[in-house]
Amino acid sequence: MNAVYSALDISKQAFHQHLNRELIKKQDRYHLLEIIRQLRDDHPTMGCRDMYYKLCPESMGRDAFEAFCKEEGLSSKRYRSPHRTTDSSGVIRFDDLTKDLKLTGINQLWVSDITYFEVRNKFYYLTFVIDAWSRRIIGHQASKRLLTESTTLPALEMAIRSRRGNDVSSVIFHSDGGGQYYSKDFLAITKKQNITNSMCEYAWDNGKAERINGVIKNNYLIHRDINSFEELKKEVDRTVKLYNEDKPHKSLQRKTPIEYEILYLSRMGKSNADQSTTECENYKSAGRYSPAGCREKSSASHITPEYNHDKSTKETVNVI
C-alpha cells in the first residue's frame, strides 16, 4: 500500500482522512433517507425544496438535497425503486432475525425507530426503544439533530439502564437500516452488552416500532400545546410515562405494559420476583396506584406471556 500512496503522491494519513470523510457523508445520507420517506408518506406531493426547508439538514445543501431525493425516487409522489441508487459500500446491514420469532417474555426482542415531530414549522426527532413482548417503551430520546449521539445512542443507554438487574445478553435489537443503528459508537455498546443486532430491509418489517411512533405522535403529542423543543422533551417524557403506566392494551389482556411485565416477573422465580418488588416500590414512592401484580401475586396465574410475533404485527395503532 505504501507504493500506492507514493504513486498517488498522497500520504497514508491523508488517504484515511479522505476515506473517513466519505464514510461519514454516506452515513449522513442514510440518516436522512427514512425521515424523508416518512415525510413523503405524510405529504405525497410536497416538493423537494419545501422538504429541504422543513428538515434543514446540516450535512447537505439545498441542491444536493434535491439531487438526493431524485436519486432515491422521492422527488415527486412516492415511488420505491427496486434498485436503490445510493452507494452502500461501507454500510453495515445485519440479517433480519425477527422472522418467525416467537416471543415468550421480556428482553428477547427490542425494536427501535426514529421519527420526526413538527413544532412551529421546525422538525425535531424522536427515538424509541420498545420491548416487543410487553410493548413497554424502555428507552426514548427527543433531539434537534439526527446524529447517532443525539438519537439512538442515548435511547439505547436508557433502555439498558431501565433493565438493570436483568440479563440482556440474549436480546435481539431490531431496527431499520438507518446509519444511527450501525455507527461504531452504537455497535460498541451492543457488543459490550452481548446484544445481537438485527435489521429489516423495509419499514413495514419493523411494524411494532412504526406503530409506537404513530401512537405517541397522533394519540398524544398532537393534542398538546407544544411551542418549543424544551416543551417537546417534557411532553415526550410525560407521554412515555402515561403510555407505560396508564394505558391498557388489548393485546396485554387490558393491562398496561408495566403491569404485564410485573405479572411476568412474578412467575419467573425468586430473583426476578425481587425485581418485581422493586417495580412495585417505584410505584408506591411515586404516589401512584399499585399495579395488579403488586396487589396480588397470585393473579400472575392468569397471564399468558406468549403470543405470536407475526399475529401481533397486524394490530392497529389504536389497540396497542
Side-chain angles (χ1 to χ4, degrees), residues 74-254:
L74 295 166
S75 58
S76 57
K77 187 172 183 178
R78 180 173 178 178
Y79 165 72
R80 184 182 293 274
S81 171
H83 304 290
R84 186 168 290 179
T85 57
T86 304
D87 180 4
S88 60
S89 58
V91 171
I92 297 172
R93 181 173 289 279
F94 296 97
D95 292 335
D96 185 344
L97 304 178
T98 66
K99 295 178 179 179
D100 301 319
L101 178 64
K102 193 172 185 179
L103 303 179
T104 58
I106 63 172
N107 298 331
Q108 278 184 276
L109 176 64
W110 295 356
V111 296
S112 182
D113 193 25
I114 302 173
T115 189
Y116 66 86
F117 190 77
E118 187 175 0
V119 176
R120 291 191 170 275
N121 298 317
K122 188 168 184 180
F123 276 31
Y124 300 109
Y125 305 99
L126 308 178
T127 308
F128 298 104
V129 179
I130 303 101
D131 188 299
W133 181 78
S134 67
R135 313 297 177 88
R136 179 178 177 179
I137 300 173
I138 55 177
H140 65 276
Q141 180 73 9
S143 59
K144 295 181 179 180
R145 306 176 69 186
L146 268 171
L147 300 177
T148 301
E149 58 265 28
S150 303
T151 55
T152 56
L153 206 59
L156 174 61
E157 290 171 342
M158 179 185 289
I160 293 170
R161 288 196 304 271
S162 75
R163 292 310 201 195
R164 61 185 180 276
N166 287 268
D167 181 13
V168 298
S169 61
S170 61
V171 168
I172 295 172
F173 191 101
H174 186 66
S175 66
D176 61 23
Q180 301 92 331
Y181 293 103
Y182 60 73
S183 76
K184 292 180 180 179
D185 291 339
F186 185 87
L187 296 182
I189 294 180
T190 56
K191 181 179 180 180
K192 180 180 179 181
Q193 298 291 332
N194 293 317
I195 293 173
T196 303
N197 297 86
S198 169
M199 285 182 172
C200 59
E201 184 174 0
Y202 302 110
W204 53 81
D205 292 327
N206 197 17
K208 286 185 173 67
E210 291 278 334
R211 285 198 305 277
I212 294 296
N213 289 344
V215 169
I216 299 301
K217 292 199 299 184
N218 300 321
N219 294 7
Y220 291 92
L221 295 181
I222 64 171
H223 303 289
R224 314 293 193 207
D225 183 21
I226 302 173
N227 297 295
S228 67
F229 176 68
E230 289 69 28
E231 291 180 2
L232 175 63
K233 289 183 64 177
K234 291 179 181 178
E235 285 298 334
V236 170
D237 290 343
R238 185 165 78 98
T239 296
V240 168
K241 187 175 180 65
L242 288 170
Y243 177 88
N244 284 335
E245 299 181 5
D246 281 354
K247 185 182 184 299
H249 292 228
K250 181 181 179 181
S251 62
L252 304 183
Q253 303 176 4
R254 299 296 181 186

Side-chain angles (χ1 to χ4, degrees), residues 57-77:
E58 298 179 0
S59 61
M60 199 177 294
R62 186 194 67 188
D63 293 344
F65 179 86
E66 292 181 358
F68 178 59
C69 289
K70 185 176 181 180
E71 288 174 6
E72 291 295 331
L74 295 166
S75 58
S76 57
K77 187 172 183 178

Side-chain angles (χ1 to χ4, degrees), residues 247-265:
K247 185 182 184 299
H249 292 228
K250 181 181 179 181
S251 62
L252 304 183
Q253 303 176 4
R254 299 296 181 186
K255 294 176 174 60
T256 70
I258 286 184
E259 285 179 327
Y260 203 63
E261 286 192 357
I262 289 172
L263 290 175
Y264 167 78
L265 290 170

